Amino acid sequence: MKYSADEIRAALQNNELTTYYQPQYDALTSQLKSAEALVRWIKPDGTVISPFFFIPVAEESDLIMDIDWYVTELVCKTLEKQNMMPQFPISINFSRKHIQEDNFAERLTALVDKYELPHSLIEVEITESAMVGEEERILDWIVSIRNAGFTVAIDDFGSGLSSLQFVKDIPADVLKIDKSLLSHNCEDEKERIVLESIFNFAHRLHMKTVAEGVETKEQLGFLRTCDCNRIQGYLFAKPMPEEDYLSLCMVHKAVEEPTDILQLQSPASAVNLLLEAVFRRYPLVIFTNLTRNTFYMMAYQNFTTTSCPSTGIFDELIVHGTSSMHPDDREAFATTFDRKNLIARHSEGAQEIRLVTRQLGDDGVYRKVETTDYFVKSSYSEDVIAITLCENLPDE
Ligand code: C2E
Ligand code: CA
Ligand code: CA
């Protein structure tokens, strides 16, 4: 059944539109984290109409804008009811038409401020497909929303045609992975590779990830290994009326017991924990593919006084590395960590290469730093890989 724009407008005016809330949970701890507002049309006889039967019609005119703003106000009212209770951020769907709306961020600010709510509680969802053809405006639109303190999520990622090239330039906070990318049990090797790459891509761009439409334990298990942040789907909860959502928020806070994080570990999050211990001693860790002359660097704090790219060409890194070094140590450093030298030492059977140099600190004082390269073997290729650990030595 499809409704006409007039019928939908009448429903809006008669306050027959309302929002349901679908909770989102932390992928590892299963704690409630946030929710998405999803519009519903409740007929006077109690029938609940899905947005699929009226949103597409509303999208044909500016009616959709009125609906979205109406939903936003309902969300503010829900959050206001939680004034004395735990509040969780709520994301709201905005049609692509809002990209053309002048002063969108100002209007959102005015509305949210009317209810005296922190802006961090509101997340703006815009679907991936809305961005196609809007490349010019979308960046400014998103920046203005984020500058106002709201977060922005890209919805339905992977469902459309938008290119990774474009998404990488979008300064969004959250990437919502479309349910069409998840099969029932996530067993297919190629599907897993695609999903792993998407999560890796998002995290390296510092975006949080939400997996949508999660229905099975198998899907959840796999998503945990990808270090997915939040889960939304029938496995945990269906969209529910406001009243039920408010009760859920109360209960969830009440049962928040300390959980044993080690029992929830995914391989990816275990590595993150391990890194914290490694960083205690080695504030700089570099992964190098000596065969291909590339590196990837993880630094705990600004390790040297000169900043350095986190990925790039290894030969250039070595040149760069000498710039904040004591002049007397430069030659030894450049020879020892010369890529050809390292490869030669590796082929002679060396396990590790070590050198102490003096590095200039922010305070103008030279301190001893020990650099150790460990040769490691990847099961995926024959390339010569080295892991570099840099350690500050105590002053004498
Ligand atoms: P969406 O933004 O992708 O919302 C997620 C949809 O997936 C929701 O459908 C939700 O009920 C459904 N879903 C959640 N978990 C699962 C699951 O585990 N399995 C399956 N099969 N489905 C799941 P819903 O509520 O019918 O909303 C449909 C679409 O209508 C939304 O898709 C969104 O594009 C649009 N929509 C909803 N509310 C609004 C609104 O206020 N404004 C605008 N502009 N669009 C809205
Ligand atoms: Ca959505
Ligand atoms: Ca979606």
Side-chain angles (χ1 to χ4, degrees), residues 269-282 285 287 298 300:
S269 64
V271 168
N272 278 339
L273 283 187
L274 176 66
L275 260 177
E276 232 185 283
V278 171
F279 277 151
R280 268 321 137 75
R281 181 148 181 180
Y282 306 103
V285 180
F287 300 77
M298 299 169 97
Y300 179 53

Side-chain angles (χ1 to χ4, degrees), residues 168-187:
K168 86 172 184 354
D169 295 325
I170 296 290
D173 304 89
V174 177
L175 198 63
K176 295 192 76 175
I177 317 297
D178 193 64
K179 49 183 172 290
S180 64
L181 294 179
L182 285 178
S183 68
H184 187 73
N185 50 19
C186 294
E187 260 176 2

Side-chain angles (χ1 to χ4, degrees), residues 36 93 125 155-156 176 178-179 212:
E36 175 176 5
N93 293 283
E125 281 193 21
D155 199 4
D156 304 332
K176 295 192 76 175
D178 193 64
K179 49 183 172 290
E212 288 190 296

Side-chain angles (χ1 to χ4, degrees), residues 306-349:
T306 49
S307 69
C308 194
S310 61
T311 58
I313 299 169
F314 180 74
D315 288 346
E316 289 175 8
L317 177 71
I318 293 305
V319 173
H320 183 98
T322 59
S323 55
S324 56
M325 195 171 285
H326 194 287
D328 294 350
D329 294 341
R330 288 180 186 173
E331 203 187 318
F333 181 83
T335 333
T336 310
F337 295 109
D338 171 72
R339 200 161 55 87
K340 294 204 176 67
N341 179 52
L342 288 173
I343 293 174
R345 298 291 305 276
H346 171 261
S347 63
E348 290 158 19

Side-chain angles (χ1 to χ4, degrees), residues 83-266:
N83 214 348
M84 307 301 280
M85 301 190 247
Q87 285 169 310
F88 299 91
I90 296 180
S91 62
I92 304 166
N93 293 283
F94 284 94
S95 150
R96 62 178 297 153
K97 288 198 181 248
H98 293 275
I99 301 172
Q100 304 296 338
E101 197 173 13
D102 286 334
N103 306 324
F104 176 85
E106 285 84 352
R107 185 165 174 189
L108 186 59
T109 301
L111 182 55
V112 175
D113 287 353
K114 189 170 100 185
Y115 291 89
E116 297 181 3
L117 297 164
H119 293 190
S120 56
L121 289 176
I122 302 287
E123 186 168 287
V124 171
E125 281 193 21
I126 182 89
T127 87
E128 180 205 62
S129 60
M131 299 177 182
V132 180
E134 300 283 0
E135 286 82 355
E136 294 289 313
R137 281 193 82 106
I138 190 100
L139 278 180
D140 292 343
W141 189 76
I142 291 182
V143 167
S144 66
I145 298 167
R146 294 186 73 219
N147 283 347
F150 305 102
T151 56
V152 176
I154 300 177
D155 199 4
D156 304 332
F157 181 75
S159 68
L161 302 163
S162 76
S163 70
L164 291 185
Q165 184 67 18
F166 178 54
V167 172
K168 86 172 184 354
D169 295 325
I170 296 290
D173 304 89
V174 177
L175 198 63
K176 295 192 76 175
I177 317 297
D178 193 64
K179 49 183 172 290
S180 64
L181 294 179
L182 285 178
S183 68
H184 187 73
N185 50 19
C186 294
E187 260 176 2
D188 178 66
E189 180 66 16
K190 283 191 180 151
E191 171 195 341
R192 291 169 82 103
I193 292 170
V194 167
L195 282 162
E196 278 166 8
S197 317
I198 290 176
F199 283 103
N200 189 14
F201 160 84
H203 291 144
R204 290 201 57 190
L205 294 175
H206 306 289
M207 285 196 254
K208 292 253 175 280
T209 47
V210 180
E212 288 190 296
V214 179
E215 296 182 352
T216 67
K217 286 209 175 80
E218 289 77 12
Q219 291 172 336
L220 176 65
F222 173 65
L223 290 165
R224 282 180 170 165
T225 70
C226 296
D227 232 14
C228 174
N229 301 111
R230 277 186 268 153
I231 303 286
Q232 179 180 350
Y234 296 169
L235 177 66
F236 283 99
K238 292 195 167 176
M240 60 185 80
E242 180 197 51
E243 201 186 331
D244 297 348
Y245 173 65
L246 289 175
S247 323
L248 185 82
C249 291
M250 289 297 286
V251 179
H252 236 269
K253 209 61 188 181
V255 298
E256 204 172 286
E257 291 160 8
T259 33
D260 181 352
I261 186 76
L262 296 184
Q263 289 178 8
L264 308 164
Q265 275 306 340
S266 72

Side-chain angles (χ1 to χ4, degrees), residues 368-381:
K368 282 188 175 173
V369 173
E370 185 173 74
T371 305
T372 310
D373 275 18
Y374 295 93
F375 296 113
V376 291
K377 181 90 199 76
S378 163
S379 49
Y380 295 107
S381 88

